[in-house]
mmCIF file of all heavy atoms in Angstrom:
data_model
loop_
_atom_site.group_PDB
_atom_site.id
_atom_site.type_symbol
_atom_site.label_atom_id
_atom_site.label_comp_id
_atom_site.label_asym_id
_atom_site.label_seq_id
_atom_site.Cartn_x
_atom_site.Cartn_y
_atom_site.Cartn_z
ATOM 1 N N ASP A 1 0.792 -1.214 0.001
ATOM 2 C CA ASP A 1 0.001 0.010 -0.007
ATOM 3 C C ASP A 1 0.838 1.285 0.005
ATOM 4 O O ASP A 1 0.383 2.316 -0.419
ATOM 5 C CB ASP A 1 -0.935 0.011 1.212
ATOM 6 C CG ASP A 1 -1.984 -1.095 1.118
ATOM 7 O OD1 ASP A 1 -2.597 -1.194 0.071
ATOM 8 O OD2 ASP A 1 -2.151 -1.827 2.093
ATOM 9 N N GLN A 2 2.074 1.198 0.507
ATOM 10 C CA GLN A 2 2.954 2.364 0.549
ATOM 11 C C GLN A 2 2.239 3.566 1.191
ATOM 12 O O GLN A 2 2.197 4.678 0.644
ATOM 13 C CB GLN A 2 3.438 2.721 -0.851
ATOM 14 C CG GLN A 2 4.289 1.621 -1.518
ATOM 15 C CD GLN A 2 5.591 1.404 -0.776
ATOM 16 O OE1 GLN A 2 6.220 2.362 -0.339
ATOM 17 N NE2 GLN A 2 5.988 0.168 -0.597
ATOM 18 N N ARG A 3 1.650 3.312 2.348
ATOM 19 C CA ARG A 3 0.927 4.394 3.014
ATOM 20 C C ARG A 3 1.919 5.447 3.523
ATOM 21 O O ARG A 3 3.010 5.132 4.014
ATOM 22 C CB ARG A 3 0.138 3.854 4.214
ATOM 23 C CG ARG A 3 -0.733 2.650 3.901
ATOM 24 C CD ARG A 3 -1.914 3.023 3.053
ATOM 25 N NE ARG A 3 -2.839 1.915 2.964
ATOM 26 C CZ ARG A 3 -3.898 1.899 2.168
ATOM 27 N NH1 ARG A 3 -4.156 2.928 1.424
ATOM 28 N NH2 ARG A 3 -4.685 0.852 2.147
ATOM 29 N N GLU A 4 1.518 6.696 3.417
ATOM 30 C CA GLU A 4 2.346 7.742 3.967
ATOM 31 C C GLU A 4 2.149 7.811 5.466
ATOM 32 O O GLU A 4 1.094 7.477 5.983
ATOM 33 C CB GLU A 4 1.970 9.079 3.301
ATOM 34 C CG GLU A 4 2.208 9.091 1.815
ATOM 35 C CD GLU A 4 1.813 10.429 1.209
ATOM 36 O OE1 GLU A 4 1.673 11.390 1.983
ATOM 37 O OE2 GLU A 4 1.632 10.508 -0.013
ATOM 38 N N LYS A 5 3.163 8.281 6.153
ATOM 39 C CA LYS A 5 3.154 8.226 7.608
ATOM 40 C C LYS A 5 2.130 9.181 8.239
ATOM 41 O O LYS A 5 1.763 9.004 9.385
ATOM 42 C CB LYS A 5 4.526 8.544 8.154
ATOM 43 C CG LYS A 5 5.554 7.449 7.844
ATOM 44 C CD LYS A 5 6.898 7.757 8.495
ATOM 45 C CE LYS A 5 7.871 6.614 8.252
ATOM 46 N NZ LYS A 5 9.169 6.869 8.895
ATOM 47 N N ASP A 6 1.699 10.189 7.503
ATOM 48 C CA ASP A 6 0.737 11.126 8.088
ATOM 49 C C ASP A 6 -0.692 10.782 7.691
ATOM 50 O O ASP A 6 -1.573 11.653 7.744
ATOM 51 C CB ASP A 6 1.073 12.561 7.644
ATOM 52 C CG ASP A 6 0.921 12.742 6.136
ATOM 53 O OD1 ASP A 6 0.967 11.730 5.424
ATOM 54 O OD2 ASP A 6 0.752 13.886 5.711
ATOM 55 N N LYS A 7 -0.937 9.555 7.310
ATOM 56 C CA LYS A 7 -2.262 9.155 6.875
ATOM 57 C C LYS A 7 -2.948 8.235 7.888
ATOM 58 O O LYS A 7 -2.287 7.531 8.643
ATOM 59 C CB LYS A 7 -2.199 8.419 5.522
ATOM 60 C CG LYS A 7 -1.565 9.225 4.385
ATOM 61 C CD LYS A 7 -2.387 10.458 4.039
ATOM 62 C CE LYS A 7 -1.783 11.208 2.865
ATOM 63 N NZ LYS A 7 -2.526 12.419 2.534
ATOM 64 N N VAL A 8 -4.260 8.302 7.908
ATOM 65 C CA VAL A 8 -5.077 7.438 8.743
ATOM 66 C C VAL A 8 -6.090 6.744 7.852
ATOM 67 O O VAL A 8 -6.761 7.370 7.033
ATOM 68 C CB VAL A 8 -5.826 8.236 9.834
ATOM 69 C CG1 VAL A 8 -6.639 7.307 10.725
ATOM 70 C CG2 VAL A 8 -4.856 9.055 10.686
ATOM 71 N N ILE A 9 -6.200 5.425 7.994
ATOM 72 C CA ILE A 9 -7.172 4.651 7.229
ATOM 73 C C ILE A 9 -8.420 4.483 8.064
ATOM 74 O O ILE A 9 -8.377 3.944 9.165
ATOM 75 C CB ILE A 9 -6.583 3.271 6.839
ATOM 76 C CG1 ILE A 9 -5.329 3.451 6.023
ATOM 77 C CG2 ILE A 9 -7.618 2.479 6.066
ATOM 78 C CD1 ILE A 9 -4.638 2.159 5.706
ATOM 79 N N VAL A 10 -9.556 4.956 7.532
ATOM 80 C CA VAL A 10 -10.831 4.830 8.214
ATOM 81 C C VAL A 10 -11.702 3.855 7.411
ATOM 82 O O VAL A 10 -11.878 4.004 6.208
ATOM 83 C CB VAL A 10 -11.553 6.183 8.325
ATOM 84 C CG1 VAL A 10 -12.934 6.015 8.953
ATOM 85 C CG2 VAL A 10 -10.699 7.148 9.150
ATOM 86 N N THR A 11 -12.202 2.849 8.084
ATOM 87 C CA THR A 11 -13.071 1.855 7.449
ATOM 88 C C THR A 11 -14.525 2.193 7.699
ATOM 89 O O THR A 11 -14.950 2.304 8.854
ATOM 90 C CB THR A 11 -12.765 0.448 7.984
ATOM 91 O OG1 THR A 11 -11.401 0.096 7.740
ATOM 92 C CG2 THR A 11 -13.661 -0.578 7.329
ATOM 93 N N GLN A 12 -15.250 2.396 6.635
ATOM 94 C CA GLN A 12 -16.707 2.589 6.696
ATOM 95 C C GLN A 12 -17.360 1.250 6.391
ATOM 96 O O GLN A 12 -17.253 0.733 5.277
ATOM 97 C CB GLN A 12 -17.153 3.650 5.685
ATOM 98 C CG GLN A 12 -18.637 3.906 5.669
ATOM 99 C CD GLN A 12 -19.016 4.919 4.594
ATOM 100 O OE1 GLN A 12 -18.150 5.418 3.857
ATOM 101 N NE2 GLN A 12 -20.298 5.204 4.484
ATOM 102 N N TYR A 13 -18.020 0.675 7.381
ATOM 103 C CA TYR A 13 -18.537 -0.701 7.301
ATOM 104 C C TYR A 13 -20.050 -0.677 7.423
ATOM 105 O O TYR A 13 -20.583 -0.131 8.382
ATOM 106 C CB TYR A 13 -17.922 -1.537 8.407
ATOM 107 C CG TYR A 13 -18.279 -3.003 8.397
ATOM 108 C CD1 TYR A 13 -17.591 -3.920 7.591
ATOM 109 C CD2 TYR A 13 -19.306 -3.492 9.217
ATOM 110 C CE1 TYR A 13 -17.918 -5.259 7.587
ATOM 111 C CE2 TYR A 13 -19.633 -4.845 9.212
ATOM 112 C CZ TYR A 13 -18.938 -5.716 8.415
ATOM 113 O OH TYR A 13 -19.253 -7.063 8.431
ATOM 114 N N GLN A 14 -20.715 -1.231 6.433
ATOM 115 C CA GLN A 14 -22.177 -1.292 6.458
ATOM 116 C C GLN A 14 -22.634 -2.753 6.344
ATOM 117 O O GLN A 14 -22.054 -3.509 5.559
ATOM 118 C CB GLN A 14 -22.786 -0.474 5.305
ATOM 119 C CG GLN A 14 -22.466 1.002 5.382
ATOM 120 C CD GLN A 14 -23.070 1.789 4.235
ATOM 121 O OE1 GLN A 14 -23.564 1.237 3.254
ATOM 122 N NE2 GLN A 14 -23.038 3.128 4.359
ATOM 123 N N LYS A 15 -23.641 -3.123 7.108
ATOM 124 C CA LYS A 15 -24.144 -4.495 7.073
ATOM 125 C C LYS A 15 -25.625 -4.457 7.422
ATOM 126 O O LYS A 15 -26.171 -3.447 7.873
ATOM 127 C CB LYS A 15 -23.400 -5.367 8.097
ATOM 128 C CG LYS A 15 -23.699 -5.018 9.552
ATOM 129 C CD LYS A 15 -23.138 -6.028 10.505
ATOM 130 C CE LYS A 15 -23.524 -5.722 11.953
ATOM 131 N NZ LYS A 15 -23.079 -6.770 12.879
ATOM 132 N N TRP A 16 -26.289 -5.587 7.169
ATOM 133 C CA TRP A 16 -27.669 -5.705 7.616
ATOM 134 C C TRP A 16 -27.792 -6.896 8.566
ATOM 135 O O TRP A 16 -27.024 -7.854 8.482
ATOM 136 C CB TRP A 16 -28.660 -5.846 6.471
ATOM 137 C CG TRP A 16 -28.437 -7.017 5.525
ATOM 138 C CD1 TRP A 16 -27.789 -7.001 4.342
ATOM 139 C CD2 TRP A 16 -28.885 -8.365 5.707
ATOM 140 N NE1 TRP A 16 -27.806 -8.258 3.758
ATOM 141 C CE2 TRP A 16 -28.471 -9.110 4.579
ATOM 142 C CE3 TRP A 16 -29.613 -9.025 6.722
ATOM 143 C CZ2 TRP A 16 -28.755 -10.465 4.442
ATOM 144 C CZ3 TRP A 16 -29.876 -10.367 6.579
ATOM 145 C CH2 TRP A 16 -29.448 -11.091 5.444
ATOM 146 N N ILE A 17 -28.717 -6.779 9.492
ATOM 147 C CA ILE A 17 -28.988 -7.838 10.452
ATOM 148 C C ILE A 17 -30.492 -8.125 10.455
ATOM 149 O O ILE A 17 -31.294 -7.256 10.067
ATOM 150 C CB ILE A 17 -28.540 -7.452 11.890
ATOM 151 C CG1 ILE A 17 -29.232 -6.176 12.352
ATOM 152 C CG2 ILE A 17 -27.024 -7.321 11.966
ATOM 153 C CD1 ILE A 17 -28.888 -5.777 13.754
ATOM 154 N N ARG A 18 -30.847 -9.299 10.858
ATOM 155 C CA ARG A 18 -32.255 -9.685 10.981
ATOM 156 C C ARG A 18 -32.752 -9.357 12.394
ATOM 157 O O ARG A 18 -32.169 -9.840 13.353
ATOM 158 C CB ARG A 18 -32.467 -11.159 10.663
ATOM 159 C CG ARG A 18 -32.192 -11.514 9.202
ATOM 160 C CD ARG A 18 -32.511 -12.982 8.940
ATOM 161 N NE ARG A 18 -32.352 -13.319 7.516
ATOM 162 C CZ ARG A 18 -31.228 -13.787 6.988
ATOM 163 N NH1 ARG A 18 -30.166 -13.975 7.762
ATOM 164 N NH2 ARG A 18 -31.177 -14.080 5.701
ATOM 165 N N VAL A 19 -33.781 -8.584 12.483
ATOM 166 C CA VAL A 19 -34.303 -8.151 13.784
ATOM 167 C C VAL A 19 -35.798 -8.531 13.868
ATOM 168 O O VAL A 19 -36.566 -8.197 12.962
ATOM 169 C CB VAL A 19 -34.154 -6.632 13.953
ATOM 170 C CG1 VAL A 19 -34.811 -6.181 15.261
ATOM 171 C CG2 VAL A 19 -32.689 -6.250 13.931
ATOM 172 N N PRO A 20 -36.187 -9.225 14.931
ATOM 173 C CA PRO A 20 -37.613 -9.566 15.080
ATOM 174 C C PRO A 20 -38.423 -8.348 15.517
ATOM 175 O O PRO A 20 -37.939 -7.483 16.237
ATOM 176 C CB PRO A 20 -37.602 -10.638 16.184
ATOM 177 C CG PRO A 20 -36.352 -10.366 16.950
ATOM 178 C CD PRO A 20 -35.359 -9.792 15.986
ATOM 179 N N PHE A 21 -39.661 -8.288 15.055
ATOM 180 C CA PHE A 21 -40.577 -7.235 15.508
ATOM 181 C C PHE A 21 -41.996 -7.814 15.454
ATOM 182 O O PHE A 21 -42.223 -8.918 14.947
ATOM 183 C CB PHE A 21 -40.459 -5.998 14.626
ATOM 184 C CG PHE A 21 -41.045 -6.157 13.256
ATOM 185 C CD1 PHE A 21 -42.290 -5.622 12.918
ATOM 186 C CD2 PHE A 21 -40.349 -6.872 12.266
ATOM 187 C CE1 PHE A 21 -42.822 -5.782 11.654
ATOM 188 C CE2 PHE A 21 -40.896 -7.031 10.989
ATOM 189 C CZ PHE A 21 -42.126 -6.482 10.674
ATOM 190 N N TYR A 22 -42.926 -7.085 16.042
ATOM 191 C CA TYR A 22 -44.304 -7.564 16.141
ATOM 192 C C TYR A 22 -45.244 -6.555 15.472
ATOM 193 O O TYR A 22 -45.061 -5.349 15.571
ATOM 194 C CB TYR A 22 -44.705 -7.749 17.605
ATOM 195 C CG TYR A 22 -44.005 -8.900 18.280
ATOM 196 C CD1 TYR A 22 -42.718 -8.747 18.790
ATOM 197 C CD2 TYR A 22 -44.620 -10.140 18.396
ATOM 198 C CE1 TYR A 22 -42.059 -9.791 19.419
ATOM 199 C CE2 TYR A 22 -43.979 -11.183 19.014
ATOM 200 C CZ TYR A 22 -42.705 -11.012 19.508
ATOM 201 O OH TYR A 22 -42.061 -12.069 20.116
ATOM 202 N N ARG A 23 -46.242 -7.081 14.800
ATOM 203 C CA ARG A 23 -47.330 -6.276 14.238
ATOM 204 C C ARG A 23 -48.601 -6.625 15.008
ATOM 205 O O ARG A 23 -49.009 -7.784 15.100
ATOM 206 C CB ARG A 23 -47.495 -6.573 12.754
ATOM 207 C CG ARG A 23 -46.259 -6.228 11.934
ATOM 208 C CD ARG A 23 -46.443 -6.640 10.482
ATOM 209 N NE ARG A 23 -47.449 -5.787 9.826
ATOM 210 C CZ ARG A 23 -47.996 -6.112 8.669
ATOM 211 N NH1 ARG A 23 -47.720 -7.283 8.078
ATOM 212 N NH2 ARG A 23 -48.895 -5.312 8.128
ATOM 213 N N VAL A 24 -49.188 -5.594 15.595
ATOM 214 C CA VAL A 24 -50.358 -5.777 16.465
ATOM 215 C C VAL A 24 -51.555 -5.077 15.823
ATOM 216 O O VAL A 24 -51.463 -3.913 15.405
ATOM 217 C CB VAL A 24 -50.097 -5.187 17.868
ATOM 218 C CG1 VAL A 24 -51.297 -5.403 18.756
ATOM 219 C CG2 VAL A 24 -48.836 -5.833 18.481
ATOM 220 N N GLN A 25 -52.670 -5.817 15.758
ATOM 221 C CA GLN A 25 -53.921 -5.287 15.206
ATOM 222 C C GLN A 25 -54.915 -5.077 16.357
ATOM 223 O O GLN A 25 -55.245 -6.012 17.079
ATOM 224 C CB GLN A 25 -54.500 -6.238 14.176
ATOM 225 C CG GLN A 25 -55.747 -5.712 13.501
ATOM 226 C CD GLN A 25 -56.377 -6.741 12.580
ATOM 227 O OE1 GLN A 25 -56.381 -7.930 12.907
ATOM 228 N NE2 GLN A 25 -56.916 -6.303 11.461
ATOM 229 N N ASP A 26 -55.384 -3.834 16.505
ATOM 230 C CA ASP A 26 -56.325 -3.555 17.592
ATOM 231 C C ASP A 26 -57.765 -3.775 17.120
ATOM 232 O O ASP A 26 -58.009 -4.265 15.992
ATOM 233 C CB ASP A 26 -56.146 -2.125 18.114
ATOM 234 C CG ASP A 26 -56.369 -1.067 16.995
ATOM 235 O OD1 ASP A 26 -57.016 -1.388 15.982
ATOM 236 O OD2 ASP A 26 -55.865 0.052 17.175
ATOM 237 N N ASP A 27 -58.733 -3.437 17.990
ATOM 238 C CA ASP A 27 -60.136 -3.698 17.670
ATOM 239 C C ASP A 27 -60.661 -2.771 16.573
ATOM 240 O O ASP A 27 -61.775 -2.983 16.058
ATOM 241 C CB ASP A 27 -61.000 -3.577 18.922
ATOM 242 C CG ASP A 27 -60.774 -2.263 19.638
ATOM 243 O OD1 ASP A 27 -59.936 -1.467 19.156
ATOM 244 O OD2 ASP A 27 -61.368 -2.047 20.685
ATOM 245 N N LYS A 28 -59.902 -1.745 16.169
ATOM 246 C CA LYS A 28 -60.304 -0.866 15.074
ATOM 247 C C LYS A 28 -59.605 -1.227 13.779
ATOM 248 O O LYS A 28 -59.637 -0.469 12.830
ATOM 249 C CB LYS A 28 -59.985 0.578 15.445
ATOM 250 C CG LYS A 28 -60.772 1.105 16.649
ATOM 251 C CD LYS A 28 -60.418 2.558 16.912
ATOM 252 C CE LYS A 28 -61.187 3.097 18.133
ATOM 253 N NZ LYS A 28 -60.838 4.508 18.392
ATOM 254 N N ASN A 29 -58.974 -2.383 13.785
ATOM 255 C CA ASN A 29 -58.234 -2.890 12.610
ATOM 256 C C ASN A 29 -57.011 -2.032 12.273
ATOM 257 O O ASN A 29 -56.490 -2.132 11.144
ATOM 258 C CB ASN A 29 -59.142 -2.982 11.370
ATOM 259 C CG ASN A 29 -60.196 -4.071 11.530
ATOM 260 O OD1 ASN A 29 -59.962 -5.063 12.218
ATOM 261 N ND2 ASN A 29 -61.353 -3.880 10.901
ATOM 262 N N GLU A 30 -56.543 -1.216 13.172
ATOM 263 C CA GLU A 30 -55.320 -0.466 12.966
ATOM 264 C C GLU A 30 -54.125 -1.321 13.358
ATOM 265 O O GLU A 30 -54.181 -2.031 14.367
ATOM 266 C CB GLU A 30 -55.345 0.837 13.761
ATOM 267 C CG GLU A 30 -56.372 1.842 13.290
ATOM 268 C CD GLU A 30 -56.302 3.142 14.052
ATOM 269 O OE1 GLU A 30 -55.530 3.182 15.064
ATOM 270 O OE2 GLU A 30 -56.962 4.101 13.677
ATOM 271 N N ILE A 31 -53.088 -1.258 12.579
ATOM 272 C CA ILE A 31 -51.902 -2.092 12.807
ATOM 273 C C ILE A 31 -50.755 -1.217 13.326
ATOM 274 O O ILE A 31 -50.447 -0.191 12.755
ATOM 275 C CB ILE A 31 -51.488 -2.794 11.510
ATOM 276 C CG1 ILE A 31 -52.617 -3.725 11.035
ATOM 277 C CG2 ILE A 31 -50.213 -3.596 11.700
ATOM 278 C CD1 ILE A 31 -52.344 -4.390 9.713
ATOM 279 N N THR A 32 -50.156 -1.669 14.423
ATOM 280 C CA THR A 32 -49.021 -0.988 15.013
ATOM 281 C C THR A 32 -47.831 -1.925 15.071
ATOM 282 O O THR A 32 -47.974 -3.097 15.363
ATOM 283 C CB THR A 32 -49.374 -0.544 16.452
ATOM 284 O OG1 THR A 32 -50.551 0.279 16.440
ATOM 285 C CG2 THR A 32 -48.225 0.230 17.082
ATOM 286 N N GLU A 33 -46.652 -1.378 14.721
ATOM 287 C CA GLU A 33 -45.426 -2.162 14.791
ATOM 288 C C GLU A 33 -44.693 -1.892 16.095
ATOM 289 O O GLU A 33 -44.592 -0.731 16.534
ATOM 290 C CB GLU A 33 -44.519 -1.848 13.610
ATOM 291 C CG GLU A 33 -45.098 -2.280 12.265
ATOM 292 C CD GLU A 33 -44.122 -2.064 11.125
ATOM 293 O OE1 GLU A 33 -42.971 -1.588 11.384
ATOM 294 O OE2 GLU A 33 -44.491 -2.344 9.960
ATOM 295 N N MET A 34 -44.155 -2.936 16.715
ATOM 296 C CA MET A 34 -43.405 -2.806 17.963
ATOM 297 C C MET A 34 -42.151 -3.669 17.890
ATOM 298 O O MET A 34 -42.174 -4.753 17.317
ATOM 299 C CB MET A 34 -44.257 -3.312 19.163
ATOM 300 C CG MET A 34 -45.536 -2.559 19.403
ATOM 301 S SD MET A 34 -46.395 -3.244 20.860
ATOM 302 C CE MET A 34 -47.832 -2.169 20.911
ATOM 303 N N ASP A 35 -41.065 -3.168 18.491
ATOM 304 C CA ASP A 35 -39.889 -4.010 18.616
ATOM 305 C C ASP A 35 -40.097 -5.009 19.741
ATOM 306 O O ASP A 35 -41.092 -4.945 20.480
ATOM 307 C CB ASP A 35 -38.625 -3.182 18.814
ATOM 308 C CG ASP A 35 -38.671 -2.326 20.077
ATOM 309 O OD1 ASP A 35 -39.312 -2.746 21.051
ATOM 310 O OD2 ASP A 35 -38.079 -1.233 20.069
ATOM 311 N N ALA A 36 -39.155 -5.941 19.914
ATOM 312 C CA ALA A 36 -39.350 -7.034 20.868
ATOM 313 C C ALA A 36 -39.453 -6.524 22.302
ATOM 314 O O ALA A 36 -40.278 -6.998 23.088
ATOM 315 C CB ALA A 36 -38.200 -8.031 20.727
ATOM 316 N N LYS A 37 -38.621 -5.557 22.669
ATOM 317 C CA LYS A 37 -38.635 -5.037 24.026
ATOM 318 C C LYS A 37 -39.959 -4.340 24.350
ATOM 319 O O LYS A 37 -40.551 -4.549 25.421
ATOM 320 C CB LYS A 37 -37.451 -4.082 24.231
ATOM 321 C CG LYS A 37 -36.105 -4.756 24.208
ATOM 322 C CD LYS A 37 -34.995 -3.738 24.309
ATOM 323 C CE LYS A 37 -35.026 -3.003 25.643
ATOM 324 N NZ LYS A 37 -33.866 -2.079 25.787
ATOM 325 N N GLU A 38 -40.410 -3.527 23.390
ATOM 326 C CA GLU A 38 -41.673 -2.827 23.612
ATOM 327 C C GLU A 38 -42.832 -3.807 23.687
ATOM 328 O O GLU A 38 -43.737 -3.642 24.506
ATOM 329 C CB GLU A 38 -41.890 -1.817 22.472
ATOM 330 C CG GLU A 38 -43.124 -0.949 22.630
ATOM 331 C CD GLU A 38 -43.289 0.012 21.474
ATOM 332 O OE1 GLU A 38 -42.529 -0.084 20.496
ATOM 333 O OE2 GLU A 38 -44.214 0.859 21.553
ATOM 334 N N PHE A 39 -42.790 -4.841 22.818
ATOM 335 C CA PHE A 39 -43.885 -5.808 22.818
ATOM 336 C C PHE A 39 -43.942 -6.596 24.129
ATOM 337 O O PHE A 39 -45.018 -6.844 24.668
ATOM 338 C CB PHE A 39 -43.728 -6.770 21.645
ATOM 339 C CG PHE A 39 -44.753 -7.866 21.608
ATOM 340 C CD1 PHE A 39 -46.022 -7.637 21.109
ATOM 341 C CD2 PHE A 39 -44.465 -9.146 22.125
ATOM 342 C CE1 PHE A 39 -46.992 -8.635 21.093
ATOM 343 C CE2 PHE A 39 -45.420 -10.144 22.113
ATOM 344 C CZ PHE A 39 -46.669 -9.899 21.594
ATOM 345 N N ASN A 40 -42.780 -6.976 24.644
ATOM 346 C CA ASN A 40 -42.752 -7.752 25.891
ATOM 347 C C ASN A 40 -43.336 -6.955 27.064
ATOM 348 O O ASN A 40 -43.967 -7.526 27.979
ATOM 349 C CB ASN A 40 -41.330 -8.196 26.197
ATOM 350 C CG ASN A 40 -40.870 -9.314 25.284
ATOM 351 O OD1 ASN A 40 -41.668 -10.158 24.886
ATOM 352 N ND2 ASN A 40 -39.600 -9.314 24.947
ATOM 353 N N LYS A 41 -43.168 -5.636 27.035
ATOM 354 C CA LYS A 41 -43.728 -4.793 28.099
ATOM 355 C C LYS A 41 -45.246 -4.680 27.977
ATOM 356 O O LYS A 41 -45.951 -4.557 28.964
ATOM 357 C CB LYS A 41 -43.098 -3.399 28.041
ATOM 358 C CG LYS A 41 -41.620 -3.373 28.364
ATOM 359 C CD LYS A 41 -41.066 -1.951 28.218
ATOM 360 C CE LYS A 41 -39.591 -1.911 28.529
ATOM 361 N NZ LYS A 41 -39.026 -0.542 28.355
ATOM 362 N N MET A 42 -45.716 -4.747 26.749
ATOM 363 C CA MET A 42 -47.153 -4.547 26.477
ATOM 364 C C MET A 42 -47.902 -5.857 26.263
ATOM 365 O O MET A 42 -49.126 -5.822 26.044
ATOM 366 C CB MET A 42 -47.317 -3.669 25.226
ATOM 367 C CG MET A 42 -46.678 -2.299 25.333
ATOM 368 S SD MET A 42 -47.637 -1.174 26.342
ATOM 369 C CE MET A 42 -49.142 -1.043 25.381
ATOM 370 N N LYS A 43 -47.216 -6.977 26.334
ATOM 371 C CA LYS A 43 -47.846 -8.250 25.916
ATOM 372 C C LYS A 43 -49.066 -8.583 26.749
ATOM 373 O O LYS A 43 -50.119 -9.018 26.203
ATOM 374 C CB LYS A 43 -46.810 -9.366 25.998
ATOM 375 C CG LYS A 43 -47.346 -10.685 25.446
ATOM 376 C CD LYS A 43 -46.269 -11.763 25.477
ATOM 377 C CE LYS A 43 -46.799 -13.065 24.918
ATOM 378 N NZ LYS A 43 -45.799 -14.144 24.930
#
């Protein structure tokens, strides 16, 4: 690479992960999305 001594290499790293979530339908047929922590509190 022959990097110069006054240089800094910065790595920009992007990835995707699978995250569970819940879709809740109320008595008015409205759908609300909740993450796992929020759903467990409201379960």
Side-chain angles (χ1 to χ4, degrees):
D1 294 311
Q2 297 296 319
R3 309 289 189 188
E4 298 179 17
K5 292 185 176 181
D6 65 338
K7 302 295 184 182
V8 181
I9 301 175
V10 176
T11 300
Q12 179 183 359
Y13 184 84
Q14 297 180 349
K15 68 171 184 175
W16 59 263
I17 58 177
R18 293 184 176 92
V19 175
F21 72 103
Y22 291 82
R23 298 176 69 195
V24 181
Q25 183 186 38
D26 60 21
D27 52 0
K28 296 181 180 180
N29 292 331
E30 293 184 351
I31 298 176
T32 304
E33 294 185 1
M34 299 181 179
D35 60 31
K37 291 176 64 176
E38 184 180 6
F39 176 81
N40 286 327
K41 294 178 181 178
M42 301 283 296
K43 186 176 180 181

